[in-house]
Amino acid sequence: MLHPTFYQYPGTRHTAHKTSLSRWLLFRCLPSVVMFGLALLVLSASPSRASVRDLQQAGELETAGAGHMVLQDERGGSQIPAVLQSSKVHFEISGMVVTATLEQRFLNNSDRWLEGVYAFPLPENAAVRYLEMTIGERRIIGKVRERAEAAAIYDKARRVGKKASLVEQQRPNLFSNRVANIGPGEEVSVQLRYVQQVRYRHDGFSLRFPMTITPRYMPGSPLESVDETGEVGTLVPDSRRGWALPTDQVPDADAISPFQDPRPGSDRAPLNPIVVTASLDPGLPLAAVDSPYHEIRLSRRAGIYSIELADGASEMDRDFVLNWRPVTGARPAAAVFTERVGDEYFGLLMLLPPAAERMPEPGPRELVFVVDTSGSMGGVSIEQARASLSQALLQLRPQDRFNIIAFNSSHYALYRRPMPATRHHVARAREFVRQLNASGGTEMLPALRAALGPVTDDDVYREKPAVRQVIFITDGAVGNEVALFEEISASLGDSRLFTVGIGSAPNSWFMRKAAEFGRGSHTHIGKLEEVGEKMAGLFDRIASPVALNLEVRWPVDGEVWPERLPDLYAGEPLVLAAKFGTTEPAGEIEVMADIDGRPWRQAVALNEGGDPRTAPASNGVGSLWARAKITGLLDQKVVGRDEALVRADVLAVALQHQLLSPYTSFIAVEEQPSRPSGENADSRPIPNTRPRGQAAQAYAYPATATTAPARAWLGAMTLFLALMVCVLRRPEVDHVPVARA
């Protein structure tokens, strides 16, 4: 049960008289209520004992988080810790393509046979194409199968005692892995390989690797289930997946809520250590290589940079980011990377339009700032959000209009309608921002509707703004991402949505896709020192798009993703993935756009070794094209295409290229059974590391399948105790249910 949170936005009033009266009534009635509740519990002792036992069983699935394994028996009994031996990731970076190998080792130090449940984040644009499970001296190589088929194969192997591994994609940046029948004393090594595209912005390249998960808030009402007797109750989460209750808005909530009991860690004595190394072949001279959130050691030989953590290992409590910047004059205007897979050819185009010769002064703008003040933003994140919003207010001009919408369990607007950015209104807004605190849930959809919806304005003579821009500041810790994308797509109109990701481990997939559907751009702020620079860069981008009406002409027919070309903002490149079929690509790619009101054209050569803009063949381009197509197909669901048609198209691509997707999974099964019949196992997860700087969150048991009287009385007593604690202490908590340690 969630602890109620009393919160107050600036402008609301709670008098001391009301508080005193509520406390007097509470303690006046306290003895009678307690005695009455105890009597009822005694009369229903048997159901209550069953309820507590169910709650304890659910609560024992405590704390597996990002990159950690839960060791669990088939009966859901007591749990045994899986000892994390080591974690390491290595990046091979060549031009715009990254090939990453992630490996983690676990030890079953019990005397029981176990099943492992393993949750981990990956970059949202990663194309996962290889799985290897090593148990003792046995290596099991995974193959991609249709999701339901893979799950059925795994369940059968688990029952008959065979070692097996099942990897599923729950979100583009969140995956789960299950390992069946791990023997006593056996060591398990999980190795995943994926490819991803390097990002380029503002004259620099960047690679981001997530290492922990911020628990997602699950909006909506719990789904109901009907038991064999016909009794209707709350649907219980699958204990082999996660703790959260499936809801009408997030039906797979249990699948995206890995068992968590986040604990703070440190680089000096890591709770969950990881070793990070990289080999960087940029293909052009560099001016700087740095990692903003980690200390690194750097060496160079024959133009190849070797990178490792300065302290050898790091705590897995924040994203790892690697940046590199070419020397002045070496900025790549264009680059093409190609690969042949079987008889087919693939290409990846990166083109950076030139900056406008003059940036025109934008006309009057209407800016709506939406800021997340939910409990998951507690700690450093809310400080970053306040600083970002204050910095943004200073960028406003007198001819602009603005408003602020703060949200957690509900939302509240500073003004009834956007107001002129006068000194008085801006000063009042900054005071409003100064008082923002983190508490409550993350009900993002109503706030988004309020920001994107039409505004009724009594001033009919006021000229409509030339540009309406929504700046969304959040950590993105929600489970109903698709519903939010649908709302953005349906309600955007002539507005533009820009997202600002806050915190050390934000939901980057949601932030980037929301900006994409909103025809804007994404900015990430990982620490307070970045606020000024990052917000200034954001306002430079939103002042005016640089390249409009983009058109690309290819020398040969091909299938290009994304299908819809975006408007480009200052410092952002155009990146396209193409499949040319069996025809070897040759000739020139022609790109045209309008820049600063004038036509612009550039040609990029394909497969001409003498052209310095043409890169050599790159391993992984075919997988990146397949991943881009899968992403584009899934986006079609958001705009209304039938899911059955999307599923069929995604399956064809994912199976051909052996990639994970929402409809495919990796499955690996040992040939012979290894667990003796009759043997069973226990389970206990390794705790996840809390995202760096995040405040401690509240805990709550998931709802369980108990009898109706037990649910009623246990719920009433728990609610009573929760209300008493809240009145006395008023904690700031997030309504993200987290399993009790």
Side-chain angles (χ1 to χ4, degrees):
M1 180 177 293
L2 301 179
H3 297 283
T5 302
F6 293 92
Y7 56 91
Q8 179 176 345
Y9 284 117
T12 62
R13 297 180 179 177
H14 295 279
T15 65
H17 172 72
K18 292 182 179 179
T19 301
S20 300
L21 179 61
S22 64
R23 290 182 179 178
W24 182 85
L25 289 173
L26 177 64
F27 288 102
R28 181 71 174 175
C29 301
L30 180 61
S32 299
V33 171
V34 171
M35 293 301 296
F36 182 67
L38 289 175
L40 290 174
L41 286 174
V42 169
L43 291 175
S44 57
S46 179
S48 296
R49 283 195 298 267
S51 173
V52 172
R53 183 167 57 250
D54 290 339
L55 284 174
Q56 287 173 342
Q57 180 174 337
E60 282 170 354
L61 300 178
E62 302 166 65
T63 61
H68 305 293
M69 181 170 287
V70 182
L71 298 179
Q72 175 173 300
D73 76 356
E74 297 178 356
R75 300 168 298 176
S78 61
Q79 303 167 356
I80 301 298
V83 178
L84 180 62
Q85 299 291 87
S86 64
S87 296
K88 59 183 179 181
V89 62
H90 179 73
F91 303 103
E92 287 285 344
I93 308 169
S94 178
M96 291 286 293
V97 181
V98 180
T99 301
T101 302
L102 172 64
E103 180 179 352
Q104 292 187 305
R105 294 179 178 273
F106 303 87
L107 176 65
N108 174 11
N109 59 353
S110 75
D111 59 355
R112 298 180 175 93
W113 288 82
L114 306 174
E115 179 189 19
V117 182
Y118 171 55
F120 56 97
L122 286 179
E124 69 275 9
N125 62 342
V128 183
R129 59 179 187 172
Y130 181 83
L131 165 69
E132 178 182 307
M133 184 74 57
T134 304
I135 304 177
E137 297 181 355
R138 295 177 294 279
R139 295 172 62 246
I140 307 173
I141 307 300
K143 295 183 179 180
V144 172
R145 294 287 185 268
E146 192 273 331
R147 185 164 182 154
E149 176 189 358
I153 294 172
Y154 175 84
D155 287 338
K156 181 179 179 180
R158 179 177 55 84
R159 288 194 304 270
V160 301
K162 293 183 178 180
K163 286 189 170 59
S165 173
L166 177 69
V167 179
E168 297 176 313
Q169 176 182 311
Q170 309 301 346
R171 293 290 188 271
N173 61 342
L174 177 60
F175 299 79
S176 64
N177 186 12
R178 293 167 61 185
V179 186
N181 298 311
I182 306 172
E186 285 189 317
E187 185 179 86
V188 178
S189 173
V190 180
Q191 185 182 106
L192 287 157
R193 296 177 192 166
Y194 65 87
V195 295
Q196 71 175 117
Q197 169 196 313
V198 169
R199 298 192 182 276
Y200 184 87
R201 178 186 281 182
H202 298 307
D203 299 335
F205 297 90
S206 181
L207 164 71
R208 176 178 292 273
F209 176 69
M211 295 198 293
T212 191
I213 300 172
T214 298
R216 287 166 164 82
Y217 175 79
M218 311 299 176
S221 302
L223 296 177
E224 292 184 341
S225 63
V226 180
D227 62 17
E228 297 177 354
T229 65
E231 182 181 358
V232 177
T234 300
L235 186 65
V236 178
D238 182 351
S239 64
R240 296 183 184 277
R241 301 176 75 185
W243 46 258
L245 286 172
T247 72
D248 54 358
Q249 293 189 40
V250 193
D252 63 343
D254 54 345
I256 63 171
S257 56
F259 310 105
Q260 303 226 11
D261 177 17
R263 303 179 186 178
S266 69
D267 288 340
R268 292 184 177 180
L271 177 67
N272 297 310
I274 186 170
V275 174
V276 181
T277 58
S279 175
L280 172 61
D281 182 6
L284 70 175
L286 299 183
V289 179
D290 69 88
S291 179
Y293 314 125
H294 293 79
E295 294 292 333
I296 59 174
R297 270 200 301 262
L298 185 68
S299 61
R300 177 186 175 190
R301 183 177 181 182
I304 307 297
Y305 294 82
S306 295
I307 300 155
E308 60 184 10
L309 296 177
D311 295 328
S314 169
E315 178 63 79
M316 296 176 64
D317 62 353
R318 62 207 186 273
D319 292 357
F320 173 78
V321 176
L322 183 67
N323 300 320
W324 59 101
R325 188 176 70 254
V327 299
T328 303
R331 186 180 70 167
V336 179
F337 305 85
T338 60
E339 182 186 25
R340 178 177 177 178
V341 180
D343 294 330
E344 293 185 314
Y345 294 89
F346 298 87
L348 184 69
L349 168 68
M350 192 280 287
L351 185 140
L352 188 70
E357 294 182 3
R358 57 179 178 85
M359 291 295 290
E361 179 71 14
R365 299 175 299 182
E366 184 177 291
L367 293 100
V368 180
F369 301 99
V370 184
V371 57
D372 184 351
T373 62
S374 64
S376 68
M377 294 283 290
V380 175
S381 293
I382 193 65
E383 296 179 26
Q384 294 172 355
R386 286 194 295 254
S388 300
L389 197 44
S390 294
Q391 184 69 28
L393 291 171
L394 295 177
Q395 306 273 349
L396 296 174
R397 303 163 305 158
Q399 61 265 40
D400 294 333
R401 288 178 177 257
F402 78 101
N403 201 356
I404 301 175
I405 298 175
F407 74 93
N408 47 30
S409 297
S410 60
H411 66 279
Y412 174 83
L414 172 61
Y415 298 113
R416 188 170 60 87
R417 63 174 183 266
M419 301 298 289
T422 63
R423 181 178 300 178
H424 168 72
H425 289 142
V426 171
R428 182 182 174 188
R430 297 192 71 193
E431 178 61 21
F432 174 86
V433 170
R434 190 183 67 82
Q435 297 183 48
L436 293 177
N437 292 304
S439 67
T442 314
E443 291 292 343
M444 192 177 290
L445 190 56
L448 195 58
R449 285 173 177 161
L452 295 177
V455 179
T456 57
D457 196 335
D458 297 335
D459 187 0
V460 295
Y461 299 103
R462 181 173 69 87
E463 182 181 355
K464 290 186 177 180
V467 179
R468 188 170 190 272
Q469 297 166 330
V470 177
I471 300 178
F472 203 2
I473 303 173
T474 177
D475 60 5
V478 290
N480 61 330
E481 296 100 331
V482 173
L484 295 166
F485 298 154
E486 291 173 349
E487 182 66 31
I488 294 169
S489 179
S491 305
L492 185 68
D494 294 330
S495 301
R496 294 293 184 269
L497 177 67
F498 299 84
T499 59
V500 180
I502 294 294
S504 55
N507 183 353
S508 295
W509 169 61
F510 168 73
M511 306 301 294
R512 294 187 188 281
K513 291 301 294 186
E516 183 179 321
F517 282 111
R519 299 178 67 185
S521 66
H522 167 65
T523 300
H524 175 253
I525 296 175
K527 54 185 180 180
L528 281 172
E529 293 79 5
E530 297 177 341
V531 169
E533 176 189 354
K534 293 290 184 70
M535 293 305 292
L538 171 62
F539 269 79
D540 286 344
R541 289 197 300 280
I542 69 176
S544 178
V546 173
L548 304 173
N549 303 319
L550 278 162
E551 181 182 355
V552 179
R553 296 176 183 174
W554 300 83
V556 295
D557 292 335
E559 185 178 357
V560 181
W561 293 90
E563 291 183 307
R564 180 184 179 184
L565 300 182
D567 295 341
L568 296 184
Y569 294 87
E572 295 186 346
L574 173 66
V575 180
L576 299 174
K579 183 175 82 169
F580 303 110
T582 57
T583 304
E584 183 176 1
E588 288 186 339
I589 304 171
E590 187 178 16
V591 184
M592 292 161 288
D594 293 333
I595 298 179
D596 196 17
R598 290 176 289 185
W600 168 80
R601 175 189 176 278
Q602 182 167 345
V604 185
L606 275 168
N607 279 357
E608 295 181 8
D611 192 325
R613 296 170 299 180
T614 302
S618 299
N619 181 32
V621 170
S623 295
L624 291 178
W625 174 85
R627 179 69 175 182
K629 179 172 182 178
I630 290 172
T631 299
L633 291 170
L634 293 173
D635 289 347
Q636 293 175 4
K637 289 197 306 180
V638 175
V639 296
R641 189 184 180 203
D642 183 75
E643 182 174 3
L645 298 176
V646 172
R647 181 180 183 277
D649 290 344
V650 170
L651 271 176
V653 178
L655 291 174
Q656 179 185 357
H657 291 265
Q658 289 288 286
L659 296 180
L660 279 183
S661 76
Y663 308 118
T664 55
S665 303
F666 264 115
I667 178 67
V669 178
E670 194 176 35
E671 291 294 329
Q672 298 297 325
S674 55
R675 174 174 58 84
S677 60
E679 292 282 352
N680 291 298
D682 289 339
S683 172
R684 188 179 184 186
I686 296 176
N688 181 30
T689 305
R690 183 187 305 157
R692 174 167 289 198
Q694 186 186 58
Q697 304 294 294
Y699 305 133
Y701 285 125
T704 57
T706 64
T707 63
R711 282 198 303 266
W713 297 121
L714 182 65
M717 288 301 297
T718 307
L719 178 60
F720 169 75
L721 294 174
L723 287 172
M724 182 177 66
V725 171
C726 285
V727 170
L728 293 175
R729 301 187 63 183
R730 298 192 178 190
E732 294 184 358
V733 299
D734 192 354
H735 289 189
V736 180
V738 179
R740 190 183 299 270

